[in-house]
Amino acid sequence: MRIPAFALRAWLLWLAGLLFCVLGWAQPVAVSLSGLAEPASLDTYALVLEDRDKRLTPDEALTQAHLPWRAADGVVNFSFSDSVYWLRLRLHNDGPTSVTRLLEAGSALQDMVDYHLVRQGRIVQTVETGDRRPFDRRPLPYRYPVFPIALAAGETVEVLLRLDTHDGLFEALPLRLRTPAGFLHHSQIENVAFGAYYGAVVALLLYNLLLSVLTRDRVFVLYVLYLASYTVWNLCFTGFGLQHLWPENPHLGHTLISTTVPLIALTLTLFSMHYLQTATRVPRVHRMLRWLAVLAVLHLPLAWLDWYAALFLTVMPLLALLLPLLLAAAFVIARQGYRPALFYLVAWAPLAVGAGLTLAKIVGWIEASPLVEYSLNIGSALEFTLLALAMADALNRLKAEKLQAEQQALQVQRALAADLEAKVRERTQALESANAQLQQVAITDALTGVYNRRSFDATLRREYNRCLRQGLPLALCVMDIDHFKPYNDALGHQQGDQALVAVAQALAARVQRSTEYLFRLGGEEFAVLMVDEGRERALRQIEALRDAVEAMALEHPASPRGCVTLSCGLVWVAQPTVEQTPDVLYAEADKALYRAKQAGRNRTEMAP
């Protein structure tokens, strides 16, 4: 019997295709749905293909026999790579009825995920999604891509996923399969948990914002900024931001997550420095933290340029250095007996663990799991709660210190009142007047009537200690009448004394604020001390004093200007430190005065 030619050709083509499929086309293991748990992890069932040239089409990925497909090694995580990756899965419905399953690509930050459903060797459905594409492209409105798959009884389908990135940073992508009922139950629990989490965070934000307004304490403002930065980052990281806040603008989400990461590092550093008082308790660590804060600010241009992978390549070492340094500083300060540091350690320990697990998952050191996936949220929830207690303890401590100070002041006031009453009864009015005169003489200059050198030493030390405790700026100016010895030689000492009195009166008329002090240190030398004064305002005040003396136009035959003038040396510090003692400040001001005289007199020189 002769076989027709067309039938022979068809049979040969079918046989060639069969041999091609059996020998050349790598096939993933078919996963039977009946034997899967709820939810089912599909990571070990997938085949992986690296496309270095990014040129493969879905049809080529399915049909070309020479492609080096390999079995996935645990959770899909390619970390930093410039390639495109393809994933293949086969699902088999071995049950007697049709079923629907939901395939989860469990990452909210995977840039591009292209889903292709294959039935009988043909692609029948394609979905292009990912967090760099509008949210409405997703088959289900969920925070990360979920693809529904319907399978008839006995049917086998294949899933082909194409993964690509914006600039080479892949996220860990656990693949899970759920039933519709299981997915609904999981999403409901997750929504309740995250709703409670974000509700608590917003409540803490508002509470600390109110405290910052009421107390005007910088620590609450910095904590609010840190908490706000972290919350925005977390909304981006979990995918809720793209789902609910900016579904049509995925680029905004990437800009926010890239911006908030260095902002978290910056605000965390500033908050910790202020809360732990590192400037006075661990000065060396304080200087290191300031440099880390500067490095965090320098990362912001990478965020604005959308260099996502480059940002995380540099910011992760920064965070890896910052967190241990903060915890070490808190440990040292806690050993010094400062109780807030102990609260700090307890509060930040769970967040440090959660951040470490998250970073390890991103770089591929550990596999993703529910505990690892939610470790940052769990750690941050514990941290926010414990740190809120720490802030409340700090507030209570401030109240207790204030109450104690008020009680001590009241006791001192009562003791002084009783003592004064006893003295009034025991002493005469004349003796009281004499005592008052003696006290005034002890702190004032007999010739000019302004405060003397003894008062200067006591006042400078007292105000220095206050500025050191409260973090206030301090300015000290030392003044000297130019060519005063020739003035005395030419006009006589009596005229010199009159000139000193006139200069003192001109200065005193303009040193009127409660935070300004005028002293005569001796001879023709005066000093002005200013507390809680800005640098420019302090310099303008000294220049005004110098101009006021020159404006008197006291004749001075030995001066090139023909009148009495002042040379001034000014030192200003934004916040005194333990190294900047009163003696050091006075020495710096005196050096500046010397430079003013060397530069031609009748001028003001600033200490560096």
Side-chain angles (χ1 to χ4, degrees), residues 208-221 274 395 398:
N208 285 279
L209 184 61
L210 179 62
L211 288 180
S212 68
V213 174
L214 295 178
T215 63
R216 297 184 180 180
D217 193 334
R218 192 187 312 168
V219 68
F220 292 102
V221 177
H274 190 81
L395 187 60
L398 290 175

Side-chain angles (χ1 to χ4, degrees), residues 115 150 357 569 580:
Y115 163 85
L357 291 175
Q580 294 169 327

Side-chain angles (χ1 to χ4, degrees), residues 135 232 235-236 240-254 256:
F135 186 78
V232 174
L235 286 168
C236 301
F240 284 105
L242 180 61
Q243 181 180 358
H244 297 290
L245 301 179
W246 49 82
E248 300 301 324
N249 190 4
H251 177 73
L252 174 61
H254 275 272
L256 287 176

Side-chain angles (χ1 to χ4, degrees), residues 311-507:
L311 171 71
F312 279 90
L313 275 174
T314 55
V315 81
M316 282 193 295
L318 172 64
L319 292 173
L321 177 62
L322 175 63
L323 290 176
L325 185 61
L326 288 177
L327 294 177
F331 179 77
V332 172
I333 296 172
R335 293 192 62 184
Q336 296 173 358
Y338 187 58
R339 190 169 69 171
L342 182 60
F343 278 100
Y344 185 95
L345 280 173
V346 175
W348 285 100
L351 182 60
V353 173
L357 291 175
T358 301
L359 288 175
K361 183 194 73 170
I362 291 175
V363 300
W365 293 343
I366 60 176
E367 294 184 358
S369 66
L371 180 61
V372 173
E373 184 176 353
Y374 300 115
S375 60
L376 200 57
N377 291 91
I378 296 172
S380 62
L382 293 174
E383 180 264 343
F384 294 152
T385 303
L386 295 173
L387 201 55
L389 296 176
M391 302 288 280
D393 176 76
L395 187 60
N396 291 333
R397 181 170 48 83
L398 290 175
K399 290 181 179 179
E401 291 176 355
K402 180 180 179 182
L403 180 60
Q404 183 180 5
E406 290 176 350
Q407 292 175 347
Q408 291 177 350
L410 182 60
Q411 292 175 358
V412 171
Q413 185 179 4
R414 289 174 178 174
L416 290 176
D419 183 65
L420 179 61
E421 185 178 354
K423 288 181 180 179
V424 168
R425 289 194 303 265
E426 294 174 359
R427 299 181 183 183
T428 64
Q429 185 65 36
L431 182 58
E432 291 179 349
S433 176
N435 286 337
Q437 291 176 4
L438 287 175
Q439 292 176 358
Q440 187 66 19
V441 167
I443 63 173
T444 57
D445 179 62
L447 176 64
T448 61
V450 301
Y451 292 120
N452 59 14
R453 178 59 184 260
R454 177 185 296 177
S455 177
F456 168 77
D457 293 336
T459 304
L460 176 59
R461 189 163 300 278
R462 184 187 71 240
E463 296 300 325
Y464 160 81
N465 289 329
R466 182 164 74 93
C467 293
L468 182 63
R469 291 192 307 271
Q470 301 179 8
L472 300 176
L474 184 69
L476 174 62
C477 180
V478 179
M479 305 173 172
D480 194 273
I481 300 177
D482 297 326
H483 306 290
F484 190 70
K485 185 178 183 305
Y487 185 94
N488 275 337
D489 294 341
L491 301 179
H493 290 282
Q494 183 177 2
Q495 187 68 25
D497 290 345
Q498 294 176 1
L500 289 171
V501 172
V503 169
Q505 291 175 348
L507 296 175

